[in-house]
Every structure is written in C-alpha cells, then in structure tokens.
Amino acid sequence: MLISSSLSNDDYENDDLIKFQIDSKTINLYYSQLSKYSKVVREKYLFSDVINKLLQDIHNFQKEYQLSTENMIYFFQLLSQNYNIEKQVNLSYIQCIELLKISKFMKTRKLSKQINDYIKDHNIDTDFLIQMIQYEISIQKQQQQLKNTKIEINAELENLISNKVNECLLNEKFSKLPITIIYRIIESSKKSIDNNKLFEFIKKSIHEFCVLFSFLEIEELSTERLEELCELYTISDESE
C-alpha cells in the first residue's frame, strides 16, 4: 500500500483526507468519516497512526486471512457511501463473508448489520443458497486436512434449500455439489419434487447421479420422458 495524506495550508476541507493505493486502485478516505464508523479507529488510531500503522495492519490482516483485494477495496468504497448497501447491488456469499471479516476487524457495526441483513434478505434465492453450501463445503474440506470426517451442512440451510429443490435441479451450480449432499436434499424433499426435472438432472451425468433414480416416480413422468427412460434402459448394460 502506497500511502499519503493531503495536507495543505489552503486546503482546509481536506485536512483529514488520506490517499492510499491497493494494487493500482487509489482510495480516498476521510479520517473523520472512518473514525465515525470504526470503533477500532476511535480506540487505537490517531490520524498519524492511520497513515503510519493502520493501513499496514489491514494489509497484514488481509494476507493472514487470504482476503481478496477486490473486497478490501470495496470495503473502503462502501465507506464513501456511509456503509449503505444499495438495493440493486448483487453480492456473492463469499463477498458477504469477507466483508463481515473485515468489518469485524475494523469494528464497523453498521456494515456488519448491513451485510447480515443482505444475507437474510437473500436466503430465499436459490443461487445464493447454493453459494452458502459451497462455502460451507470449502471450509469443511480445509478442516478435513487435519481429520477425516464426512461433509455435513447446517440443518437450517439444508431445510431452506430443500424447499427450493425444483429450482435447484435447474441450477448448474447444484450439480457441482457432492453427490452425498444432493442425495440428502432430494431425499428430504422427494414429496414435492418435479419428476421430469429430476430425470433431466440425472441425465446430465447418469454415471454420477444414477443413485437418484431411486427417487424417481416413473408414473409421474411425461410420455416423452418415459419413452426416453425406456430407451436408455434398453441400450444400457448391467454395469450401468
């Protein structure tokens, strides 16, 4: 981070303006605005400390937790909006998690609330729910480097996604989840599943998803799909 402050005898309005760079992106922030929202700045850092110490601490924090540069930049961009997230903004779940981590480090309570509200508002969105599952899986895979345990997902999250099972079957990201997770979600929602959509989903990779045939209600298939299933069965061998 390249850091400078804008201090000029004639530039009174910008006495507390700090300019710095993250990669090639120039960030402008006012110390008074940052201290308003960040409790850690109020408690630990004077203006000179922000210039000399805080930004280096943030850089070390980013490196330690492997946070993306884009989200570090976005954190400071949100400061210019008084940490108000506009309704049309589309955040990924990983963005939300990283912003929450930065917000916790900086003790910016308003942003933490904004992000948590965003997550709550989007937990009915199928794509967002799948992102949440993908994140949980990635965390558990990291932990499994130390111990061998099966992958589980939060029961509340599993219930939310099960209620969206027919939308999930049409979402390409859903097919990328571990088959054990897919199986459990479909098993818990088999009474409400659209059998035609389930059949189309299995067809994506019969070798991988054949275990899901046990949930398929053949009598609920359309005539076209039933004929296709019969044809698949006719040309298959015992190994399939």
Side-chain angles (χ1 to χ4, degrees):
M1 291 183 179
L2 299 176
I3 309 167
S4 66
S5 61
S6 290
L7 293 176
S8 168
N9 289 334
D10 299 322
D11 194 10
Y12 306 111
E13 296 300 326
N14 290 322
D15 269 359
D16 68 339
L17 177 64
I18 298 169
K19 295 182 179 181
F20 62 97
Q21 284 189 323
I22 300 179
D23 288 349
S24 59
K25 179 70 175 180
T26 299
I27 305 295
N28 296 322
L29 66 84
Y30 288 92
Y31 173 79
S32 55
Q33 187 182 30
L34 182 62
S35 61
K36 174 182 177 180
Y37 292 106
S38 173
K39 186 179 179 182
V40 76
V41 171
R42 294 194 298 272
E43 292 176 340
K44 293 178 60 178
Y45 301 94
L46 298 174
F47 178 75
S48 59
D49 295 323
V50 173
I51 298 173
N52 300 317
K53 190 173 187 299
L54 174 61
L55 297 176
Q56 185 59 49
D57 289 346
I58 292 173
H59 176 71
N60 294 337
F61 172 77
Q62 176 191 1
K63 186 176 180 181
E64 179 182 356
Y65 290 92
Q66 299 181 323
L67 304 177
S68 71
T69 298
E70 290 77 11
N71 287 330
M72 296 300 303
I73 292 171
Y74 189 49
F75 173 83
F76 290 108
Q77 288 176 335
L78 283 172
L79 173 61
S80 66
Q81 302 168 202
N82 296 316
Y83 289 125
N84 292 312
I85 298 176
E86 298 176 355
K87 290 185 178 180
Q88 66 269 28
V89 169
N90 186 22
L91 301 176
S92 70
Y93 184 65
I94 290 180
Q95 276 182 290
C96 291
I97 292 298
E98 291 203 354
L99 286 170
L100 282 174
K101 288 180 179 179
I102 303 167
S103 183
K104 182 178 180 180
F105 173 73
M106 293 292 292
K107 296 183 181 180
T108 52
R109 291 194 305 133
K110 181 177 180 179
L111 180 60
S112 294
K113 184 181 185 306
Q114 290 275 310
I115 296 296
N116 281 313
D117 286 347
Y118 183 94
I119 292 173
K120 289 177 183 177
D121 290 341
H122 288 75
N123 69 6
I124 58 172
D125 179 79
T126 303
D127 197 74
F128 196 77
L129 286 169
I130 293 173
Q131 291 177 39
M132 292 171 73
I133 292 175
Q134 289 174 324
Y135 180 78
E136 283 206 11
I137 290 171
S138 68
I139 295 299
Q140 289 187 43
K141 282 183 176 179
Q142 293 174 20
Q143 294 172 344
Q144 284 182 23
Q145 294 177 0
L146 302 177
K147 59 179 182 178
N148 187 22
T149 57
K150 67 177 183 177
I151 294 175
E152 298 283 354
I153 60 174
N154 179 280
E156 181 181 358
L157 178 55
E158 186 171 320
N159 183 58
L160 286 170
I161 199 75
S162 295
N163 291 331
K164 297 279 186 177
V165 64
N166 289 316
E167 294 178 30
C168 287
L169 293 172
L170 301 176
N171 192 302
E172 190 61 33
K173 292 178 183 176
F174 186 66
S175 64
K176 306 302 181 184
L177 297 177
I179 185 58
T180 53
I181 300 294
I182 296 173
Y183 185 96
R184 202 160 58 245
I185 290 170
I186 292 179
E187 182 180 35
S188 64
S189 55
K190 56 187 177 183
K191 291 183 180 180
S192 59
I193 205 162
D194 183 317
N195 285 275
N196 290 313
K197 290 178 180 176
L198 177 57
F199 178 63
E200 293 297 325
F201 181 82
I202 296 171
K203 276 172 49 186
K204 290 181 178 180
S205 177
I206 293 180
H207 176 73
E208 183 180 3
F209 301 136
C210 60
V211 293
L212 303 178
F213 272 124
S214 61
F215 300 116
L216 193 66
E217 299 289 344
I218 296 177
E219 65 275 12
E220 298 295 329
L221 290 175
S222 66
T223 302
E224 179 184 354
R225 289 181 177 83
L226 179 58
E227 290 175 352
E228 189 175 358
L229 175 60
C230 291
E231 183 179 354
L232 287 171
Y233 179 75
T234 301
I235 63 176
S236 65
D237 57 35
E238 289 184 8
S239 65
E240 295 177 313

